[in-house]
Structure formats: structure tokens, C-alpha cells
Amino acid sequence: MGAKAVTGPSTSLRLTQQRSGVSSVMVNPPFYQVTCCGPVPCTCCCHSRWPLLTESTSSRLFYILLHVGASAVCCLLLSRTVVERVWGKAHGIQMPSELCAHLFGHSHCPVLSGSGAVYRVCAGTATFHLLQAVLLVHLESPTSPRAQLHNSFWVLKLLFLLALCAVAFCIPDEHLFPAWHYIGICGGFTFILLQLVLITAFAHSWNKNWQMGAAQDCRWFLAVLLATLGFYSMAGVTAVLLFRHYTHPAGCLLNKMLLSLHLCFCGLLSFLSIAPCIRLKQPRSGLLQASVISCYIMYLTFSALSSRPPESVILQGQNHTLCLPGLSKMEPQTPDTSVAVLSAGIMYTCVLLACVEASYLAEVFGPLWIVKVYSYEFQKPSLCFCCPKIVVPEEGQRGGAAKPADQETSTAPPVQAQHLSYSYSAFHFVLFLASLYVMVTLTSWFSYEGAELEKTFTTGSWATFWVKVASCWACVLLYLGLLLAPLCQSPTQDPQPPPIFKRQCHRISIAR
């Protein structure tokens, strides 16, 4: 069904009943399409240019852009260089004394830059997403009135977000920092655990799917072999580069010990993945999943080493800075901003991917997706094992049998059918955790006083270093638990076949 324009001076949104008995949305675009203030989604004005853009996809994209914008504002307010060059003040941006006296009754006003500004902006964005997560809980249909809260009213939601941030700036430091700091620490650690579950589930599902194909066709076996060699090669090259640039013969003992320990972890996980006792309980366990985890361990090691403070030693009567990437071992090493930019870019990309993937899995597997995702059984191997091409309709859903996605020829603006393509509530809750994670990461976790952007990504801090090292060790423990948990089952107990979730990927094929 397609969208038709209304030519008369009638209301902006009408529902008309066609002969087939299916509702058709008739939109009069001028006001809502331009302002996005009302219940009409912004996809109406984008359909002519991007015909495959759906309500849920565009909404998720807009929310991600809001999160990216808020994070960019936090970085600008935390940067001492930006504050000095734009506002010309080396000690931060101060609130006007008249406004401060009116709001707080004294002249001790919160600084509008630095770690306090980051805490306040992230407090506004976190509250914004947490409220929507609560309001959208148990939402099952995209046609529900509550779904319009997620997909529409963009200008009003942007004004509400700005109002929350403005209110946060009116809270005194002594009332904001003690409580919000601990909330941020708990939310940051929760988001790290969520990322670890996603990466281990991704490796487990990938290995299980392609090992199924390798048992049937030699081409799948070749694909498994090439992918495994590729990930092990990346892990090996990363280890060599880390030894080259983050160690020194005259120091960096901690870096050497950490790199050696993590390489031992990679070897241990690889050995256990193909151990006979493990394969007896998990016949599809293999080196592919171990190679993915090994590569991720090396990334976490790089992230930790690039976040630690440098060492200073005296060599040949000169003060040298060690344990940082340098051009020559014989020259003093200086912080490299390119490494900081690379580390921050990878980190934030992982944050956005976690927000998208977690909301999708929460809709497919339900509230207990963290457990159920490991027991998922595939029907057939696929290159895109996260998203099959066949749409299986829900029980009781009208429309007949399932159709391949490539046979859909509708030219109308596509939206969801009778189910959500991802969990709206889970998406906002993960964005709430991501806001807290970005907040504590930018402000060096436990040492937030005097945090600056230049120090966070160049000189680093011990708090950030040990948090990332602990994340790496937690990843190792989680994967070990995934391998060893089946060994704890009683041999006399008949294992129940894991449920097969048919609604794994919802292709958008029905217009609205």
C-alpha cells in the first residue's frame, strides 16, 4: 500500500479504508515533514531519496546521531585547548555571577567545562534514554501509540534533551558528583560486561554456523580455515607491534609481563577449544571462535597499554619517556596523537555496535537473550549468519506463507509488519549504559578531578589502564565458562534440545 498526498485543506494525517480492507496512511506533508514535531515519522520526507529507509532504521540512526553529538560536545567541553582558544579562559568557563546568585544563592558556581560539564551533559542524555526505556517496556507492535514516542516528535524530544542537560547544569557540584559518580561507575562496568557477552556470542555463533557448513561442504571448510588464519594473523601482528612500540629494554616490565600473560591466555583458549573433552560435549567447538576471542584480547591489550601513564628513566644522563610509541629506541619517546585517535575511534565504534546488536537480540530472544543467544541452533550455514533471507511469519499473522526477501517488489515506503525489528526499550536502555560508559571513560573513571581530554587519550591514567586490563581478564573468564560449562552437566541427564528461534531477522516488506 502506498502513501497518497492529500490535496485539500484537511488534516495532516488521515486513515482511509480501501476496498481490500487494509488501512492506508494518507499524509499531508508540509508541516510535519519539515518540523518533525508531530506523530508523523521523518521517513516521509526521506522516502523519495532513500526508499528502503524504514521508520525503525531512521529512528535508530537519529538516536545514534544524538548520542554522537552529545559525545562530541563532551569532548569539546573537556578539551583544555578548545576552551582556551574559543572562550579564552584557561581555568574553565564560569557561569555568570548574576545567574549563579539567583540559582544557588551564593557565588560558588559550577564550572561549565571540564569533567563537571561532561558529567552534566551525560546525566541529561542518560536520563533521556532511561525515561524512554521505561515508557517503551513491553512494547510489541510498531502501530502502538507508544511506538510514536520512539519514532516521532523529534523536535520536541530534542528540546526535552536540551532541557534535561540545562537542569543538570543547575545542580551544585556537591550534590551531583558523589551520587552520579558511583552510578556512572556501575553503568560503565555493566556496559563492559554487555560488550563481552556480545563478542563471545558473536564468536560462538559464527563458529557454530560455519562448522555446520564445513561438515557438509569443503568450501565451507576452506572459509573456516581462511577466517581462522586471518584472525590469528591479526592477533599475531598486533602482539608483535605491541612488543615493538610499548616495550623498551630499559623498562616497561609491566607491559612485557602483561603481553606475555595475554599471549598465554590466547594459547590456552585455543587449546581448550579443540580439546577432546570439550569437543565431546560441544562437537562444533573449533579454532574459529578462539581466533576471534584472541584477536579481541589483543585489542583490549592495545587499549590498556595505550591508556597507561608513561615511564620516565634516565639513560646516558638524559630523561627518557618509555612505554609509548616512538620512532626510535634511541630517542626520547613522545605521545602519538594518531594512536589516541585510533583507540578512541575503535572504542566508540564498539559502543555503537553494541547498542544496535543488543536491541536486536533482545527482540529476537526476549529478556533473557544474554543466556538464550548461546543455545541458538541454526537451520543452515550462511555467510550472513546473523540475518537469514527468509522471513518466517508469526503464528496467526495474516499474509500466507513466508516469502524470500529478494522477491519483494513493493515500491511504497517500507515499515515494520506486526512485530518490532528490534526492542525499543532495550535500545534506549543500552544507550543509557553507553552514556554512562562514555562519561566515565572520558573522565578517567575513578580519577575524574582535573580530567582533560588531552590527558585522557595521550598520557592516560592508571585507573583506565586497570579497568581495561580487568575487562580483558573478564573476557577470558567468560569464554572459559562458555567452554567448561557443558562439562558440569550430569552424564545421566538427557540434554534438552535448545529452542530454535525462527524469528531471527525481520526484513521490512510491508508499506505504511
Side-chain angles (χ1 to χ4, degrees):
M1 45 188 172
K4 300 180 180 180
V6 180
T7 56
S10 57
T11 59
S12 299
L13 183 63
R14 291 183 179 179
L15 296 177
T16 61
Q17 193 75 16
Q18 296 181 350
R19 295 179 180 179
S20 59
V22 182
S23 297
S24 175
V25 177
M26 302 179 65
V27 180
N28 190 9
F31 178 74
Y32 286 139
Q33 289 185 8
V34 175
T35 63
C36 293
C37 291
V40 177
C42 291
T43 48
C44 296
C45 58
C46 304
H47 172 63
S48 59
R49 181 169 298 181
W50 298 290
L52 296 180
L53 190 64
T54 62
E55 272 187 16
S56 61
T57 303
S58 61
S59 299
R60 184 157 53 180
L61 179 61
F62 288 155
Y63 283 117
I64 289 176
L65 291 178
L66 282 179
H67 192 269
V68 172
S71 301
V73 171
C74 291
C75 292
L76 294 177
L77 294 176
L78 191 63
S79 175
R80 176 172 49 86
T81 305
V82 173
V83 172
E84 291 179 354
R85 291 185 178 180
V86 176
W87 285 275
K89 298 180 179 181
H91 301 288
I93 309 171
Q94 299 290 336
M95 182 180 293
S97 57
E98 296 81 5
L99 180 61
C100 179
H102 177 73
L103 292 176
F104 306 107
H106 54 77
S107 59
H108 299 287
C109 300
V111 181
L112 303 183
S113 61
S115 58
V118 174
Y119 268 57
R120 288 172 169 86
V121 172
C122 291
T125 56
T127 306
F128 174 76
H129 291 294
L130 182 60
L131 290 176
Q132 291 199 73
V134 174
L135 293 175
L136 298 174
V137 69
H138 295 307
L139 180 66
E140 298 179 355
S141 173
T143 59
S144 171
R146 286 191 297 160
Q148 294 183 356
L149 178 65
H150 176 80
N151 294 319
S152 308
F153 303 102
W154 289 103
V155 172
L156 299 180
K157 285 188 290 190
L158 180 59
L159 294 176
F160 181 65
L161 175 60
L162 295 176
L164 289 176
C165 295
V167 170
F169 275 97
C170 297
I171 302 175
D173 291 342
E174 59 271 15
H175 296 158
L176 175 70
F177 278 107
W180 194 246
H181 174 65
Y182 290 107
I183 294 176
I185 293 295
C186 296
F189 278 119
T190 304
F191 188 79
I192 289 176
L193 294 177
L194 181 66
Q195 284 184 310
L196 297 181
V197 169
L198 289 175
I199 189 62
T200 52
F202 170 77
H204 184 74
S205 302
W206 189 358
N207 180 80
K208 184 186 294 185
N209 184 275
W210 282 25
Q211 288 287 353
M212 176 194 301
Q216 304 171 1
D217 194 339
C218 61
R219 291 175 294 182
W220 283 107
F221 177 80
L222 180 61
V224 171
L225 180 62
L226 292 177
T228 303
L229 292 177
F231 279 106
Y232 273 126
S233 299
M234 287 189 290
V237 170
T238 303
V240 171
L241 292 177
L242 292 179
F243 269 110
R244 177 178 176 83
H245 295 288
Y246 286 92
T247 62
H248 193 276
C252 306
L253 180 61
L254 180 60
N255 290 9
K256 297 174 185 177
M257 294 177 57
L258 196 66
L259 279 169
S260 302
L261 178 62
H262 289 182
L263 286 177
C264 293
F265 284 157
C266 295
L268 175 63
L269 297 181
S270 301
F271 171 76
L272 290 178
S273 297
I274 57 175
C277 58
I278 299 295
R279 292 182 64 85
L280 182 64
K281 294 289 185 176
Q282 303 184 56
R284 293 175 185 168
S285 178
L287 290 177
L288 177 56
Q289 56 183 349
S291 66
V292 176
I293 299 300
S294 299
C295 196
Y296 190 69
I297 289 175
M298 286 295 102
Y299 157 70
L300 292 178
T301 306
F302 158 71
S303 182
L305 296 182
S306 62
S307 302
R308 61 155 293 177
E311 293 183 9
S312 297
V313 297
I314 298 178
L315 298 176
Q316 300 176 356
Q318 295 182 356
N319 189 11
H320 288 253
T321 302
L322 307 180
C323 309
L324 286 176
L327 298 178
S328 175
K329 294 293 183 179
M330 301 303 296
E331 299 176 356
Q333 300 183 20
T334 57
D336 190 355
T337 56
S338 61
V339 175
V341 172
L342 175 63
S343 178
I346 296 176
M347 180 205 74
Y348 200 76
T349 302
C350 293
V351 168
L352 298 181
L353 291 178
C355 296
V356 173
E357 185 66 14
S359 61
Y360 165 71
L361 294 177
E363 175 63 22
V364 174
F365 295 100
L368 299 179
W369 66 268
I370 294 180
V371 178
K372 294 180 180 179
V373 67
Y374 293 106
S375 61
Y376 178 79
E377 290 296 333
F378 294 93
Q379 295 294 311
K380 62 179 181 179
S382 173
L383 290 176
C384 184
F385 54 89
C386 294
C387 187
K389 296 182 179 180
I390 303 300
V391 178
V392 180
E394 297 286 336
E395 293 184 1
Q397 179 181 348
R398 293 180 298 178
K403 295 182 180 180
D406 55 1
Q407 292 184 5
E408 298 294 340
T409 58
S410 176
T411 59
V415 296
Q416 294 88 290
Q418 301 300 321
H419 52 259
L420 302 176
S421 58
Y422 61 92
S423 174
Y424 293 172
S425 179
F427 178 70
H428 285 287
F429 184 74
V430 178
L431 278 178
F432 160 73
L433 297 178
S435 300
L436 298 179
Y437 175 74
V438 169
M439 179 186 74
V440 294
T441 301
L442 290 177
T443 55
S444 301
W445 289 85
F446 301 101
S447 55
Y448 61 89
E449 298 91 349
E452 294 179 359
L453 185 68
E454 291 80 4
K455 296 180 180 179
T456 300
F457 291 108
T458 54
T459 58
S461 67
W462 286 113
T464 305
F465 169 76
W466 286 113
V467 166
K468 294 184 177 181
V469 170
S471 303
C472 184
W473 294 349
C475 181
V476 174
L477 292 177
L478 182 61
Y479 184 69
L480 279 176
L482 183 63
L483 291 177
L484 301 179
L487 298 179
C488 301
Q489 295 180 356
S490 174
T492 59
Q493 182 181 1
D494 295 332
Q496 297 293 331
I500 298 177
F501 297 89
K502 294 183 178 180
R503 186 163 54 94
Q504 185 185 2
C505 179
H506 309 309
R507 290 298 181 92
I508 311 305
S509 59
I510 298 181
R512 184 175 177 181

